[in-house]
Amino acid sequence: MHKLSLPVPGDDALAASSALQQLIIDDICQHQGWIPFSRYMELALYAPDLGYYSGGATKLGKDGDFTTAPEMSSLFGAALATLASHIFTHTRAEIMEFGAGTGKLALDFLSECQLSGIAIDRYFIVELSGELRARQEELLKSFPQVTWLQEMPDSFSGLVLGNEVLDAMPVDLVIKTADGWREVGVAVVDEDSSPRLIYRELAGQLCHPDKIAQIPDADALPVGYLTEVHAVASGFMRSIARMLLKSQGTTAAIFIDYGFPAAEYYHPQRLQGSLMCHYRHHAHPDPFYLPGLQDITAHVDFTAMARAALDEGLELLSYSSQAGFLMAAGIAGLLTRTPADQVMQYLPQANALQKLVSPAEMGELFKVLIVGQRLELPENLLRLDRSHRL
């Protein structure tokens, strides 16, 4: 086991992780001793009953491994609902959320709609995890508009939401060698009769050019440069685009996540990529530590995400920082509903808002990509548009 100074899990959790590691080792053995990193990440996060998102461990909030914006403050979901009220003057009042987690974003969104008289016909949640769906059903039981789906429908007209969903999609790893780009995957070594998962380059062949097509000036990057490419997330964006286009109506999709445009993502100084793991609010770089018990993520290449949607025929409506987006959506005004002299209620909300919009916190690292068709966004949001950076 890797020697990291992290909290020790219980016996049941260790047993589940060991079972998942054996499943991964078996998969590697069935594929001539090597699998792409994206396959490893898929199994570590989504293997039935054992993967991080498909198992039963608590993932979000103070008792989990990381905290998302909706868990931080109900103002986040309320601000999204405020913006949606403008969008619903042009499109059907239907929502489809991916990566709904505990259901907190849906709860805050629908609560704000209820408070402000914003009519919502249906709120779809696409959820593959039975454990997460059960938590969502309990939290959202007072909102009959909510319907759960196990897969993306062929057609949808309305507003798609995805908060921190793209970063959880499996990525491939590639490295620049003296001979060219090679793929880095996962293999197994035996140490003292104990198998251990390791990184290993795919020997004997260079990456197909399509694999590194999204990397600007790939030939100019230094030897030893290791980074991620986002084929799965790009495919997801293409599927979203086809779903929205098939409706032939006015539609939009909002994706909020941490990441960069391609020119920043693949900067020559970002030599080791952005892959990161989260375990009980500790961040570290080892994806092979206790598989199934930790989250594995990579920052989002927003240029690749936008290009995938545009290639299918959607329009790029906006790209902005989370801070600019939330301020344009009216989050500061939502805070003023709580009088400042009610200190016990006001201060926690003000502190959470500061984390959401501060450049030193989430405000600048997190970006908001909006794609759609036949929709004009509010002028105050368009003034903050950074699409030229993509």
Side-chain angles (χ1 to χ4, degrees):
M1 183 177 291
H2 299 259
K3 292 179 173 61
L4 295 173
S5 298
L6 298 173
V8 178
D11 292 342
D12 289 346
L14 279 174
S17 180
S18 295
L20 178 57
Q21 178 167 299
Q22 188 58 54
L23 184 151
I24 292 168
I25 290 171
D26 292 344
D27 194 73
I28 292 171
C29 293
Q30 291 167 15
H31 291 87
Q32 291 74 54
W34 184 94
I35 57 174
F37 187 81
S38 57
R39 173 60 176 166
Y40 170 77
M41 190 168 168
E42 176 190 354
L43 291 171
L45 297 182
Y46 302 107
D49 301 321
L50 295 173
Y52 180 76
Y53 285 108
S54 53
T58 299
K59 284 104 182 147
L60 306 174
K62 63 182 179 62
D63 297 321
D65 301 313
F66 56 92
T67 301
T68 63
E71 304 290 330
M72 226 176 264
S73 172
S74 60
L75 296 174
F76 183 82
L80 278 170
T82 302
L83 176 64
S85 67
H86 167 85
I87 294 174
F88 291 151
T89 62
H90 304 282
T91 186
R92 294 171 65 177
E94 295 193 348
I95 303 289
M96 182 174 295
E97 185 183 358
F98 292 84
T102 63
K104 183 64 164 54
L105 175 56
L107 175 68
D108 295 334
F109 188 103
L110 290 167
S111 297
E112 177 61 27
C113 289
Q114 193 175 67
L115 179 66
S116 300
I118 304 168
I120 298 292
D121 296 331
R122 287 186 294 182
Y123 194 113
F124 296 101
I125 294 177
V126 181
E127 183 56 70
L128 304 180
S129 166
E131 184 260 341
L132 286 176
R133 174 171 172 169
R135 295 175 68 182
Q136 295 160 10
E137 287 177 339
E138 176 63 25
L139 188 67
L140 299 169
K141 58 188 177 184
S142 60
F143 293 99
Q145 308 99 315
V146 182
T147 301
W148 279 266
L149 305 174
Q150 287 193 306
E151 59 184 17
M152 188 186 303
D154 290 337
S155 174
F156 175 73
S157 179
L159 176 62
V160 170
L161 293 178
N163 180 61
E164 292 198 52
V165 64
L166 296 173
D167 69 84
M169 294 190 175
V171 296
D172 289 305
L173 296 181
V174 295
I175 191 168
K176 178 76 172 291
T177 72
D179 299 321
W181 288 92
R182 295 188 186 276
E183 188 166 357
V184 177
V186 181
V188 185
V189 294
D190 282 320
E191 290 185 347
D192 301 324
S193 300
S194 177
R196 183 166 67 88
L197 298 169
I198 61 166
Y199 288 120
R200 178 169 289 169
E201 292 176 28
L202 179 59
Q205 66 185 75
L206 299 179
C207 290
H208 190 279
D210 288 349
K211 202 83 167 182
I212 57 170
Q214 64 186 237
I215 303 177
D217 300 320
D219 291 340
L221 291 169
V223 170
Y225 190 95
L226 176 72
T227 191
E228 308 89 24
V229 291
H230 301 260
V232 174
S234 294
F236 172 75
M237 291 298 294
R238 287 192 290 271
S239 297
I240 291 289
R242 289 193 291 268
M243 177 185 72
L244 296 180
L245 289 164
K246 196 167 185 179
S247 73
Q248 298 184 340
T250 302
T251 59
I254 301 175
F255 291 97
I256 306 170
D257 228 309
Y258 47 92
F260 313 99
E264 296 177 35
Y265 196 105
Y266 301 106
H267 192 280
Q269 293 181 353
R270 202 180 300 279
L271 292 170
Q272 295 299 309
S274 67
L275 197 75
M276 188 57 62
C277 305
H278 299 275
Y279 175 69
R280 298 194 186 177
H281 293 279
H282 291 73
H284 69 90
D286 184 358
F288 306 128
Y289 180 78
L290 297 178
L293 302 188
Q294 65 173 357
D295 192 19
I296 307 172
T297 73
H299 284 53
V300 175
D301 172 3
F302 278 103
T303 300
M305 300 306 104
R307 183 180 293 128
L310 268 62
D311 285 349
E312 293 295 329
L314 282 186
E315 304 164 36
L316 173 57
L317 302 178
S318 174
Y319 171 70
S320 62
S321 68
Q322 176 173 287
F325 172 82
L326 290 176
M327 295 304 287
I331 196 168
L334 295 171
L335 175 62
T336 63
R337 290 176 178 173
T338 303
D341 58 2
Q342 295 181 9
V343 177
M344 298 299 290
Q345 291 75 38
Y346 181 84
L347 276 183
Q349 292 191 58
N351 289 336
L353 175 57
Q354 191 272 338
K355 290 181 180 179
L356 292 175
V357 302
S358 168
E361 299 275 355
M362 299 172 68
E364 191 59 37
L365 177 60
F366 278 69
K367 311 297 195 309
V368 183
L369 176 69
I370 308 179
V371 294
Q373 62 176 345
R374 304 187 185 94
L375 178 65
E376 186 75 18
L377 294 174
E379 179 60 33
N380 62 338
L381 181 56
L382 293 176
R383 282 197 298 268
L384 302 169
D385 183 53
R386 300 179 180 179
S387 296
H388 62 280
R389 296 191 181 181
L390 295 173

